[in-house]
Amino acid sequence: MNIINFTPISALTGGLIIGFSVFLFFILNGRMTGISGIASNFLISKNNRIDNLLFLVGLIFGPLIYSYFTSQKIEISITNSLFLLIGGGLLVGLGTKISGGCTSGHGISGIGRFSLRSMIATITFMIVGVLTVLMKNIL
Amino acid sequence: MSKLVSLFCGIIFGIGLVISQMINPAKVLGFLNLFGEWDPSLAFVMIGALIVSSPLFHLFKNKEKPIFSSSFSISNKKEIDKKLIIGSILFGAGWGLAGLCPGPAISSIALLNTSSIIFVIAMFFGFYIAKLS
């Protein structure tokens, strides 16, 4: 194992900001932040539909607002393999809906309130994620 | 007011994803590449988020109601069942394939990147299929 591209300061700073958002959503609206839950409930359920939509709109506007005020261009690199994108997207949608959470719902909100369920979910999807990347590298 | 809060929390969350660079799938795949060239940043994002949210959850957990809503709606599921494990395995596999999880995927729509839009559409199909079954 070699450690590369490690950005601890920006990672921690961004994490603190995400934690603040999660706390506000809890104390003001009484809800736990889980993006898969917010997105899938927006699609499926009538409850809180406008709230969920607005959260998703905010999620998209966040990067635009950041770019506007800092004049920084956000660079990302994503695969353009249709197989990985469609297969990955389907699995992420299915899996998070079946297990009831994703990196935010289980990994932050769930672990934050010491839910054993969420700890087990997080450990599971991290191990499988690591194994999947390992397989991709081998094949 | 709760609607304004939802929008605001989404914006703050999205800004956190940009600053932490988790909006970039290459960073996420770097974290999952534990046996290759490893980038531990994602762990620091989770630690940062937990340092803020966890003590505050516990400080206010006995509060009667939230400020802009009539009650807290928080899952009290405890059982570790097959659905939790199978779902997490499927999610982990998808996460490792594309390097995207729901938050960064939706946030990156802002960059009008075709790949992230395709991923998000497939993810919504996944939600729908899970709901049907």
Side-chain angles (χ1 to χ4, degrees), chain B residues 65-84:
Chain B
K65 64 191 236 10
I67 294 170
F68 297 126
S69 173
S70 53
S71 66
F72 283 100
S73 51
I74 289 161
S75 151
N76 49 16
K77 268 194 208 153
K78 291 234 168 9
E79 72 274 41
I80 315 294
D81 52 10
K82 248 192 258 169
K83 281 176 77 179
L84 183 76

Side-chain angles (χ1 to χ4, degrees), chain A residues 23 26-27 112, chain B residues 52-63:
Chain A
F23 169 65
F26 163 73
I27 199 70
Chain B
V52 177
S53 60
S54 192
L56 291 168
F57 283 158
H58 287 89
L59 189 63
F60 292 102
K61 72 177 170 191
N62 294 324
K63 203 170 179 301

Side-chain angles (χ1 to χ4, degrees), chain A residues 2-5 7 15 21 27-30 44 51 58-60 77 79 89 93 95 103 107 112-114 117 125 136-137, chain B residues 2 6 9 24 27 33 36 38-39 41 46 49 54 58 67-68 73 75 79 87-88 96-97 101 107 110 115 119 123:
Chain A
N2 287 318
I3 292 188
I4 60 154
N5 297 331
T7 50
S21 161
I27 199 70
L28 299 177
N29 284 7
I44 289 160
D51 278 76
L59 206 51
I60 297 171
S77 83
T79 172
T103 332
R113 55 195 185 90
F114 303 150
R117 237 177 94 76
F125 65 67
K136 265 176 33 186
N137 291 345
Chain B
S2 83
S6 300
C9 287
N24 185 0
K27 289 289 281 182
N33 194 12
W38 190 44
D39 174 1
S41 305
M46 285 187 68
S54 192
H58 287 89
I67 294 170
F68 297 126
S73 51
S75 151
E79 72 274 41
S88 299
L97 284 182
C101 54
S107 223
S115 292
F119 180 93
M123 181 176 83

Side-chain angles (χ1 to χ4, degrees), chain A residues 1-33 35-36 39-40 42-44 48 50-52 54-66 74-80 82-99 101-104 106-118 120-122 124-126 128-134 136-137, chain B residues 1-21 23-27 29 31-42 44-54 56-58 60-61 63 65-69 71-81 83-98 100-103 106-111 113 115-116 118-119 122-131:
Chain A
M1 183 215 303
N2 287 318
I3 292 188
I4 60 154
N5 297 331
F6 185 30
T7 50
I9 306 293
S10 60
L12 198 64
T13 311
L16 295 170
I17 293 169
I18 289 171
F20 180 63
S21 161
V22 169
F23 169 65
L24 284 183
F25 203 48
F26 163 73
I27 199 70
L28 299 177
N29 284 7
R31 294 177 60 190
M32 282 289 162
T33 308
I35 310 297
S36 62
S40 64
F42 163 68
L43 178 73
I44 289 160
N48 292 323
I50 306 288
D51 278 76
N52 290 335
L54 287 170
F55 191 101
L56 299 177
V57 168
L59 206 51
I60 297 171
F61 270 86
L64 301 176
I65 291 169
Y66 177 84
I74 302 164
E75 305 274 3
I76 61 172
S77 83
I78 312 184
T79 172
N80 49 24
L82 271 181
F83 171 75
L84 293 182
L85 291 169
I86 294 175
L90 281 173
L91 286 169
V92 168
L94 268 172
T96 53
K97 189 72 198 157
I98 293 171
S99 81
C102 57
T103 332
S104 50
H106 282 311
I108 298 170
S109 301
I111 292 184
R113 55 195 185 90
F114 303 150
S115 151
L116 181 64
R117 237 177 94 76
S118 289
I120 289 175
T122 305
T124 308
F125 65 67
M126 284 202 170
V128 176
V130 166
L131 293 176
T132 306
V133 169
L134 184 65
K136 265 176 33 186
N137 291 345
Chain B
M1 197 61 194
S2 83
K3 295 185 172 44
L4 209 60
V5 170
S6 300
L7 180 68
F8 183 70
C9 287
I11 291 173
I12 304 283
F13 198 107
I15 291 174
L17 288 174
V18 173
I19 292 177
S20 66
Q21 299 178 55
I23 193 168
N24 185 0
K27 289 289 281 182
L29 289 174
F31 175 75
L32 295 176
N33 194 12
L34 184 64
F35 299 108
E37 296 191 313
W38 190 44
D39 174 1
S41 305
L42 188 144
F44 276 59
V45 181
M46 285 187 68
I47 292 168
L50 288 170
I51 291 175
V52 177
S53 60
S54 192
L56 291 168
F57 283 158
H58 287 89
F60 292 102
K61 72 177 170 191
K63 203 170 179 301
K65 64 191 236 10
I67 294 170
F68 297 126
S69 173
S71 66
F72 283 100
S73 51
I74 289 161
S75 151
N76 49 16
K77 268 194 208 153
K78 291 234 168 9
E79 72 274 41
I80 315 294
D81 52 10
K83 281 176 77 179
L84 183 76
I85 305 297
I86 292 171
S88 299
I89 291 173
L90 296 177
F91 168 44
W95 196 32
L97 284 182
L100 283 159
C101 54
I106 293 171
S107 223
S108 64
I109 290 178
L111 311 172
N113 183 301
S115 292
S116 44
I118 293 171
F119 180 93
M123 181 176 83
F124 273 89
F125 263 104
F127 291 148
Y128 194 68
I129 296 167
K131 198 237 171 188

